[in-house]
Amino acid sequence: MSRYGVATDRKWQKRWEEEQIYAFRPERVSEKLYCLEMFSYPSAANLHLGHWWNYGLTDCWARMQRMQGKEVFRPMGFDAFGLPAENYAIRTGIHPRDSTLASIATMQVQLRQIGATYDWRYELSTCDASYYRWTQWLFLQLYKNGLAYRKDAPVNWCPSCQTVLANEQVHDGGCERCHTPVTKRNLTQWFFKITDYAEELVTTLDALDWPEKTKAMQKNWIGRSEGAFIDFPLADHPGFIRNFTTRADTLYGATYLVLAPEHPLVLTITTPTYREAVTQYIASTAQQSELDRVANVKEKTGVFTGAYALHPLTQEKIPIWIADYVLATYGTGSVMAVPGHDIRDFEFATIYHLPIPRVISAAHPDTPDNLPYIGDGILINSASFNGESSEEAKITVVARLQELGLGQATITYRLRDWLVSRQRYWGAPVPIIHCPHCGLVPVPEEDLPVELPYDVQFTPDGQSPLAKSPAFMETTCPTCGAAALRDPDTLDTFVDSSWYFLRYPDNRNQQAAWDPAWINQMLPVDRYVGGPEHACMHLLYARFITKALRDMGYLNFGEPFTSLFHQGIILGVDGQRMSKSRGNTIAPDGYVERYGADVLRLYLAFAFSYSDGGPWPVDADNKPSDEGIRGIYRFVQRLERWIDRLLELVPAPIPAGTPTPLASLRPAERELNFTLHQGIKTISRDLPLYQFNTSIAQIMILLTSLSRYEQESSAPNLPFLAQVTQEMLRLLAPLAPHLAEELWEELGHTTSIHNEAWPTWEEAALVLDEVEYGVQINGRIRAKLMQPRDASQEDIRLAALALPSLAAELAEGTVAKVVVVPGRLVNIVIT
RNA sequence: GCGGGUAUGGCGGAAUUGGCAGACGCGCCAGACUUAGGAUCUGGUGGAGAGAUCCGUGCAGGUUCAACUCCUGUUACCCGCACCA
């Protein structure tokens, strides 16, 4: 049994809290390091392994930064609004507010059991009126600056959650949360104009210290595309149809236009003969779910409208079709179809027997004539543009169109505006009043918060629950005083989390969301840690909101998270994500009770790569194994035995000790000293990179070296042993904070190890008098060779060639070359 | 189809600038101790072979005195996006 255990954890957690040793000191803001993990969703159950993995291991990182003199700002809070609490309420009848507050209370206690360095004075919870008051304030600022607007549009609707969803919340045509196929509905909804920032969001991405994958995902999601608008005048109506293309060079190959069924001009231009077919087609596509649409990609369908447009350069009459392979929400909702050089247009033209001319010839003709050629090439059948390259023609064709007033170069984005209103209860109310006389009237800022009422019938039926609460809805217009109604929708929870990192450092400010002078010093977040699944939602929204607030003058920076790190995920033994429904969860509680928080922390840190995660190991019976944890537990016991041994040799209190001068160390001590400094150097390099496993390995090696030195030495150098032991505990402190603190106290210290400075290493200690060389013949290791540190390359070469064990093999050939790598190896090349 | 990533012993995982592959731990094997335990300690442990040796980082090539590492091609798996004009 180890004497360290959960009781030790409690003892130190209590004392740290009393002494406020992790309190952030604002006067040291110049040394601040804002390190943040994505905040947690309050859940009624006990903390799961993921919490320990996310928050326990980032704590090791933060603790090392503290010891290196950084003023670490490390807050924790709760992303407390959202559907799970509401769905739980519908099942159980427990009000979302009650269940959420209870969950938060549980988590506040349990998060402390990890032994992390949170400064709880900066806590926040998004469902508190003192927080969402400022979420509503944010909405109003966006509204006043034209970045929040209401529009009637086809939007994603989840029939199960009974609410609209943002584009980002539709995955594979289904609801991100419940996977129900999403349908389209025409509704009037609130949007944030994130598209105004599309260009900056994509161009400033490169400079961020973020994982390449995440940057690529955002870039892809924003979908910047350079091309041109090309207008095709209508043959029988005034006006024109505007198309977006990236291939203006293929304009002479455009043989028809295709509009999305939702395109606003469709019914205007459709001729009476085709009206019935067209309306039928529109109706059938409208009732298709996103999933059906994706499933039907292979069979292209469409109908002719009977209308014609004029080719802008040839004046030829070309037919106008509608088809659902053209998306209403991208570009102009209309394309010029070039079946000779586009796969989709080709498939469509083949089915409906439309002509498929060639206007680009490939430099190396390897595409058969019965397939579209989608690459660049030389223009043919393109009048005066013949002979130009695709690259040239993309410019010259657009220039000609521009002279005619029928085209211009442009950039489009895939990114759509962010739909933020939700027809659900448990969220921040939209702070807008609908007045019959004045229209949309923002709630005056001094009237915030618009409080979410408690007594509401929140069972979802497609209506906003708040609409059924007259006490909430009925108000007066702030402008004209007439009776008016509040907006019944609540805000997407991603609005709450798009600015929480700005609130933490000034969380009790009641006059403003924050004090800009203070926040501009505290932010941006220096290191943000969280899962990669937020790449195109939270991380994108937070960047947008930060940039918008900067342009309104509330911030002087435009990127919220300078540096981003994604942890991996610990999976169940089946390799699947842990979940109650799969029954593959592993509870941390038992391990913590039995071995203590630090054994679990050390195990998680040691047994997995932090960036990869991976499945929990299995034993011979395919059950979750705790053999690895017992290995860590043995290490803890070995460490305690060593401390006991040291205290036998050197009674407490052990002096803090100064490093013994290198020159006065005997050879065996030099070896131990080498291991110490090697360990300090390695851990100082690896811990900042979240390479916890190698850091712990170094401490294990150091402990082994310590006890071996003591066992093998007839007269151990006791002050030196005491000093090395204390350095080892300092190295351990970030990883096993309770254990290190306890052992530190046993050595007689009366101040916390967590206020000790991080050890430094001396390069001189890493230089040994003798170096072992590997001696290779033709690249294969054949012998070892000890050489003095200052031996010349020539000495080493001669010593290697003179090795008796190599004589026979060397005699078989002639030595062509000898490569000496100082300090490492010798390679003898024989032929 | 596009983008990003991964592949190393029985297992988790190491390997700094191209320089002795497999650190550290688990498991396994052998031994010690014993108040007989699912405890602890010590030693060994990539594979093949009696052995000298040979073979080994998904696969096939290449560059190099030297390749897990760099280059070309290829396979499998994972993640994200996907009729985006």
Side-chain angles (χ1 to χ4, degrees):
Chain A
M1 278 292 286
S2 68
R3 53 185 179 274
Y4 164 75
V6 69
T8 323
D9 298 340
R10 298 208 177 107
K11 164 183 164 187
W12 289 110
Q13 283 160 16
K14 183 159 173 278
R15 199 172 304 175
W16 294 335
E17 187 113 18
E18 282 164 5
E19 296 176 7
Q20 288 277 298
I21 81 163
Y22 307 124
F24 179 73
R25 290 166 290 180
E27 63 276 16
R28 290 191 75 235
V29 66
S30 60
E31 300 299 313
K32 72 92 189 177
L33 186 80
Y34 190 166
C35 55
L36 186 64
E37 298 103 50
M38 293 178 183
F39 59 175
S40 45
Y41 189 84
S43 137
N46 289 347
L47 291 198
H48 53 74
L49 207 63
H51 290 116
W52 282 80
W53 172 252
N54 291 346
Y55 299 140
L57 299 203
T58 47
D59 185 62
C60 299
W61 186 91
R63 282 178 177 274
M64 181 199 176
Q65 302 290 336
R66 272 189 86 248
M67 290 177 80
Q68 288 187 323
K70 295 288 186 199
E71 188 62 26
V72 170
F73 181 63
R74 208 165 124 70
M76 177 50 79
F78 299 94
D79 190 10
F81 271 139
L83 279 182
E86 199 168 330
N87 291 337
Y88 180 75
I90 291 158
R91 275 205 316 279
T92 63
I94 300 170
H95 192 280
R97 179 168 186 82
D98 299 338
S99 65
T100 301
L101 294 187
S103 296
I104 289 174
T106 307
M107 289 184 77
Q108 284 166 334
V109 172
Q110 295 210 334
L111 280 166
R112 284 172 166 84
Q113 293 168 3
I114 295 176
T117 50
Y118 297 117
D119 186 339
W120 287 97
R121 296 174 304 168
Y122 293 92
E123 182 186 355
L124 62 78
S125 185
T126 58
C127 69
D128 281 353
S130 66
Y131 181 87
Y132 70 72
R133 167 185 183 183
W134 301 110
T135 305
Q136 292 170 335
W137 170 86
L138 170 66
F139 180 97
L140 293 178
Q141 305 319 304
L142 294 168
Y143 181 73
K144 285 172 189 164
N145 285 275
L147 292 170
Y149 66 96
R150 233 162 97 89
K151 83 170 172 195
D152 184 57
V155 295
N156 303 303
W157 176 262
C158 174
S160 165
C161 297
Q162 297 271 316
T163 183
V164 296
L165 300 171
N167 269 17
E168 290 79 6
Q169 288 165 328
V170 180
H171 294 171
D172 295 329
C175 170
E176 175 216 13
R177 202 159 272 295
C178 66
H179 312 294
T180 308
V182 164
T183 58
K184 290 279 180 191
R185 275 199 181 187
N186 275 299
L187 290 169
T188 305
Q189 296 290 320
W190 285 99
F191 291 84
F192 285 171
K193 215 167 176 185
I194 190 171
T195 52
D196 269 14
Y197 286 85
E199 182 68 19
E200 192 192 337
L201 284 167
V202 74
T203 52
T204 54
L205 210 44
D206 284 333
L208 293 177
D209 174 27
W210 284 24
E212 285 309 315
K213 176 188 167 117
T214 307
K215 292 201 265 187
M217 277 168 68
Q218 273 203 12
K219 209 175 255 184
N220 191 12
W221 184 258
I222 295 166
R224 184 182 193 276
S225 178
E226 290 187 16
F229 288 139
I230 300 183
D231 298 336
F232 283 59
L234 289 164
D236 307 306
H237 290 268
F240 55 82
I241 303 260
R242 169 160 287 192
N243 303 276
F244 175 74
T245 182
T246 56
R247 293 298 304 271
D249 55 315
T250 63
L251 177 56
Y252 281 84
T255 50
Y256 60 103
L257 296 185
V258 192
L259 311 192
E262 302 90 341
H263 192 285
L265 286 180
V266 170
L267 289 177
T268 315
I269 61 172
T270 299
T271 59
T273 323
Y274 293 93
R275 181 160 296 268
E276 200 188 329
V278 165
T279 34
Q280 241 175 44
Y281 186 76
I282 293 172
S284 77
T285 52
Q287 53 175 247
Q288 259 187 21
S289 73
E290 282 290 299
L291 270 180
D292 295 334
R293 231 175 58 79
V294 170
N296 293 335
V297 160
K298 280 178 217 120
E299 316 143 25
K300 286 205 167 34
T301 58
V303 291
F304 180 44
T305 61
Y308 290 86
L310 301 175
H311 189 286
L313 296 185
T314 66
Q315 321 307 327
E316 245 174 272
K317 270 178 82 172
I318 65 171
I320 304 175
W321 288 65
I322 64 170
D324 67 353
Y325 80 91
V326 173
L327 307 174
T329 52
Y330 182 77
T332 59
S334 166
V335 301
M336 63 174 212
V338 184
H341 302 283
D342 180 280
I343 293 168
R344 299 149 302 186
D345 298 339
F346 178 86
E347 286 169 5
F348 191 80
T350 306
I351 294 169
Y352 294 101
H353 308 293
L354 295 157
I356 305 176
R358 283 271 152 151
V359 292
I360 304 285
S361 80
H364 308 286
D366 50 4
T367 306
D369 284 345
N370 57 351
L371 286 176
Y373 171 67
I374 58 170
D376 283 355
I378 304 297
L379 272 70
I380 53 172
N381 301 324
S382 298
S384 64
F385 297 97
N386 282 342
E388 288 188 21
S389 70
S390 290
E391 202 185 346
E392 291 170 305
K394 278 177 192 175
I395 295 161
T396 55
V397 167
V398 174
R400 171 81 56 85
L401 290 166
Q402 189 141 21
E403 285 164 22
L404 297 170
L406 292 173
Q408 68 191 80
T410 190
I411 298 165
T412 61
Y413 303 87
R414 209 183 83 106
L415 185 68
R416 305 265 62 86
D417 277 340
W418 173 17
L419 199 174
V420 295
S421 42
R422 296 288 180 274
Q423 290 69 53
R424 296 296 297 250
Y425 164 69
W426 189 231
V430 173
I432 292 286
I433 291 166
H434 299 261
C435 170
H437 311 294
C438 313
L440 297 177
V441 182
V443 173
E445 284 178 28
E446 59 272 20
D447 293 348
L448 296 180
V450 177
E451 285 210 45
L452 184 67
Y454 185 90
D455 272 323
V456 172
Q457 178 56 43
F458 45 73
T459 313
D461 57 6
Q463 294 282 309
S464 299
L466 291 179
K468 290 172 262 177
S469 168
F472 173 82
M473 291 298 289
E474 290 168 12
T475 184
T476 52
C477 171
T479 308
C480 71
L485 293 176
R486 292 194 184 277
D487 195 294
D489 287 354
T490 55
L491 292 169
D492 181 6
T493 53
F494 281 108
V495 179
D496 305 329
S497 59
S498 68
W499 74 281
Y500 77 111
F501 45 90
L502 300 171
R503 179 67 178 174
Y504 272 134
D506 204 8
N507 65 333
R508 279 163 294 179
N509 193 332
Q510 296 186 22
Q511 270 64 56
W514 57 81
D515 168 14
W518 175 236
I519 290 306
N520 286 337
Q521 288 182 79
M522 286 298 290
L523 276 100
V525 173
D526 297 287
R527 176 55 64 85
Y528 199 31
V529 184
E533 66 276 13
H534 292 289
C536 296
M537 295 194 279
H538 165 59
L539 289 167
L540 185 63
Y541 298 147
R543 293 183 67 221
F544 155 59
I545 292 294
T546 302
K547 289 174 194 301
L549 286 166
R550 173 204 59 197
D551 291 346
M552 295 172 202
Y554 293 111
L555 302 172
N556 69 0
F557 54 93
E559 289 292 345
F561 316 121
T562 312
S563 174
L564 174 70
F565 181 83
H566 296 310
Q567 323 96 326
I569 301 170
I570 303 295
L571 306 168
V573 293
D574 53 1
Q576 302 291 313
R577 268 187 106 112
M578 288 189 195
S579 76
K580 271 177 254 164
S581 57
R582 286 203 187 87
N584 62 351
T585 56
I586 296 187
D589 311 46
Y591 294 124
V592 174
E593 274 307 311
R594 189 151 161 210
Y595 300 110
D598 285 352
V599 169
L600 181 59
R601 283 175 65 135
L602 285 170
Y603 174 67
L604 291 173
F606 184 66
F608 304 86
S609 146
Y610 198 46
S611 54
D612 297 345
W616 189 269
V618 288
D619 63 15
D621 304 323
N622 241 16
K623 297 242 174 64
S625 160
D626 54 1
E627 280 157 347
I629 292 192
R630 290 212 308 275
I632 291 292
Y633 181 62
R634 278 197 284 274
F635 163 69
V636 169
Q637 293 178 83
R638 269 203 309 279
L639 183 60
E640 288 181 346
R641 268 201 307 281
W642 168 250
I643 297 294
D644 292 344
R645 177 66 186 142
L646 182 69
L647 288 170
E648 269 171 49
L649 297 166
V650 191
I654 287 189
T658 48
T660 320
L662 202 52
S664 67
L665 292 176
R666 290 172 292 176
E669 296 159 15
R670 285 204 150 203
E671 217 174 289
L672 175 57
N673 198 52
F674 176 89
T675 307
L676 170 67
H677 285 264
Q678 175 121 299
I680 297 172
K681 186 177 182 179
T682 307
I683 299 172
S684 300
R685 182 196 66 199
D686 289 355
L687 260 192
L689 301 172
Y690 302 93
Q691 289 178 18
F692 304 114
N693 43 8
T694 50
S695 300
I696 293 169
Q698 287 297 322
I699 296 173
M700 289 172 166
I701 291 168
L702 184 53
L703 176 61
T704 306
S705 301
L706 262 171
S707 58
R708 178 154 305 159
Y709 162 81
E710 190 271 322
Q711 278 161 25
E712 291 175 358
S713 175
S714 49
N717 178 340
L718 298 179
F720 176 60
L721 274 187
Q723 186 241 329
V724 175
T725 302
Q726 293 176 78
E727 291 286 62
M728 177 177 68
L729 290 181
R730 289 187 187 98
L731 294 172
L732 180 69
L735 294 152
H738 312 88
L739 172 65
E741 187 80 303
E742 179 71 14
L743 299 179
W744 188 249
E745 188 186 51
E746 287 179 12
L747 293 186
H749 293 283
T750 51
T751 55
S752 173
I753 194 171
H754 301 298
N755 287 329
E756 291 289 305
W758 184 251
T760 52
W761 75 93
E762 266 181 81
E763 282 299 331
L766 298 172
V767 180
L768 295 172
D769 290 340
E770 286 222 300
V771 184
E772 189 190 60
Y773 283 80
V775 182
Q776 300 177 330
I777 292 179
N778 290 346
R780 292 170 207 231
I781 193 78
R782 278 300 128 94
K784 301 284 180 180
L785 174 66
M786 293 306 291
Q787 284 288 290
R789 164 185 26 146
D790 49 7
S792 70
Q793 290 204 22
E794 184 59 12
D795 292 344
I796 298 165
R797 191 177 77 89
L798 292 174
L801 288 169
L803 281 170
S805 62
L806 300 183
E809 194 170 353
L810 290 179
E812 285 169 20
T814 50
V815 175
K817 189 175 179 182
V818 180
V819 180
V820 177
V821 182
R824 294 202 182 261
L825 57 72
V826 181
N827 189 12
I828 303 168
V829 184
I830 63 172
T831 50

